[in-house]
Amino acid sequence: MALNPKMHEMPTQAPEVRAGNFSEVALGYPVEIALEEAKRCLNCKNRPCVAGCPVNVNIPDFITKIKENDFEGAYQVINETSSLPAVCGRVCPQETQCESKCTMGIKFEPVGIGRLERFVADWHNAHAKEAPEKPAANGHKVAIVGSGPSGLTCAGDLAKKGYAVTVYEALHTAGGVLVYGIPEFRLPKSIVAKEVETLKSLGVDVKTNVVIGKTLTIDELFEMGFEAVFIGSGAGLPNFMNIPGESLKGVYSANEFLTRSNLMKAYRENPVTPIMKGGRVAVVGGGNVAMDAARTALRLGAEHVYIVYRRSMEELPARKEEVEHAMEEGIDFRLLNNPVEILGYNNPENPRDPKNGFVTGMRCIRMELGEPDAKGRRRPVPIEGSEFTLDVDTVIMAIGTSPNPLIKNTTEGLKVNSHGGIIVNEDGLTSRENVYAGGDAVTGAATVISAMGAGKVAAKAIDGALSQR
C-alpha cells in the first residue's frame, strides 16, 4: 500500500472565530486520522526520531501501539520517559527536533509525531479511570524549586523511583511558565493541572506561594532534611531595549502581559489587574512569546496588532505553526524594522492631565541584513534616514528573559555566568554540593522540551548520588 506523502492536517478553529475567544486553536486528531497518520511511520531500525527527542521518547514503539489500536499502551510507552505528554504534544517544536530526523521527511513530509503524542495523551486523560500506583518509598527526600517543565520532570522521574519529593512554587498555581506564560488557546490550564495531578498521585507534594530566596532559602531546605535540591526556577526576569520611553504607561514586558492575562484573569469584564482593552498594539520580538502576546492582545479586543521584528521572515525564531496561525488571525508583521523610541503624551501646562505619560506611538527604523553574527544569523543594520512612526497606544516587549537573581543572591557559593544563568556540569550539578539546576535557570529562555531534558538529566544524577547512601 502506498504511503501518504503528506502529514495529515490538524483540525483547527476557523481564524475568524478563534480570534475572538481563548478556546484551544488546534482541536486534535480524531481516532480515524490518528490511525491513518500512524500508518505513515516506517518503524526504522536506527530510530533517528528518538535521538532527536530531548527526553528520548520511544517514538516508533508508541506509534506501533496506535496502529494496533492500543492507545493506552501507546501512552504508557510515552510515560516511560516523559512526565508531560499532553503538554509536549502541544507546545514542543517537533519540526526542529524529532520530526526533523524522521526518515519519511527525507523525500516527503515527516510523520506528525507531536500530533500523535497529543492524541495519545488526550485519549488517556479522557479514558483512564485509575491513578498511577504510588511507588514504594526509598527513604530519601528531594526538594524541587519551581514547578515549570524542568522541575515537574525532575520531580516525576524521582517520584517514580520512590523519592519523597516536594515542589516549591512561587505563584499560586503550579505549572510555572506552562500556566503563566503560554496562553489558554495554545495550552489549556486544565491540561497542565491534569499533568500536575498525575504527579501528585505518584506522591509528589506541591507547595505554592513559597518564594525560595525569601520564604525559605536553599540552606534552610537542607536544614529541613532534604538531601538534594533541584533549581528549576526558570527565567522570569524580562529584558528591555533601553530605549527612550520604555517607562511610559502602556509599555509591558511580555512576561507581565501574559501573566496578567493567564493567571490574574485580566480578560474579565472588570478585572482586579486590568490590562489593555482595544487600541493599537505593537509587540516587539519574533519568538513564540511574541506570537503568544500578539494573539492574546487580539483576543483582548485590540483593534490592530503589529509584530515588529528586526530581521526577515527567514530568521523569525517562532514556530512555523504559530506564525501561520498569527497571520491567519490578522496579525500585521512589520519585519526588518526596529524600535528606537516609544513616544508618549505630555502636557507640561497641566501636569495633572490624566493622559500624561501614556504611549502615543513608537518610532522605528527600517533595517537590512548584513554579515552573519556569532550565531550565524545575518546581522540587522539600520538604514539611515528610514525612520517612521507607528500609531500605537500599547507596546509589549518580547525580546527574551533572564534568570531571576533572587536564588543566586541568597545562596552562598552558587556560581552563575555573565547572563545570570546558574553554572552546572554535564549532570546538572552546580558549584554547591547536592544542589542541581536545569532549564531556563541555567540556559536562559529556551524550549519546554529542552527544560524537561535537563530535569531528566538532573534526576538521574540525583538518584545516582543518593542511592549510594
Side-chain angles (χ1 to χ4, degrees), residues 254-291:
N255 206 347
E256 176 191 1
F257 185 82
L258 291 169
T259 300
R260 285 203 194 188
S261 174
N262 285 329
L263 284 189
M264 299 180 178
K265 311 295 191 293
Y267 50 80
R268 289 180 174 173
E269 181 102 13
N270 295 300
V272 176
T273 57
I275 204 166
M276 53 73 58
K277 294 285 185 182
R280 299 170 69 84
V281 180
V283 179
V284 181
N288 290 327
V289 175
M291 301 304 132

Side-chain angles (χ1 to χ4, degrees), residues 125 143 428 430 463 468:
N125 287 341
T430 72
D463 178 51
Q468 303 301 315

Side-chain angles (χ1 to χ4, degrees), residues 65-79:
K65 291 291 186 182
I66 295 175
K67 294 177 185 178
E68 297 169 353
N69 278 275
D70 184 4
F71 305 141
E72 180 60 24
Y75 175 83
Q76 294 305 330
V77 170
I78 298 171
N79 192 48

Side-chain angles (χ1 to χ4, degrees), residues 26-72:
L27 303 177
Y29 278 166
V31 171
E32 58 273 14
I33 294 183
L35 289 170
E36 288 300 314
E37 185 61 30
K39 292 177 183 176
R40 300 182 66 240
C41 177
L42 301 174
N43 200 13
C44 309
K45 289 184 179 180
N46 60 348
R47 302 181 166 217
C49 54
V50 177
C53 173
V55 297
N56 298 124
V57 169
N58 292 313
I59 294 165
D61 289 357
F62 95 74
I63 295 179
T64 296
K65 291 291 186 182
I66 295 175
K67 294 177 185 178
E68 297 169 353
N69 278 275
D70 184 4
F71 305 141
E72 180 60 24

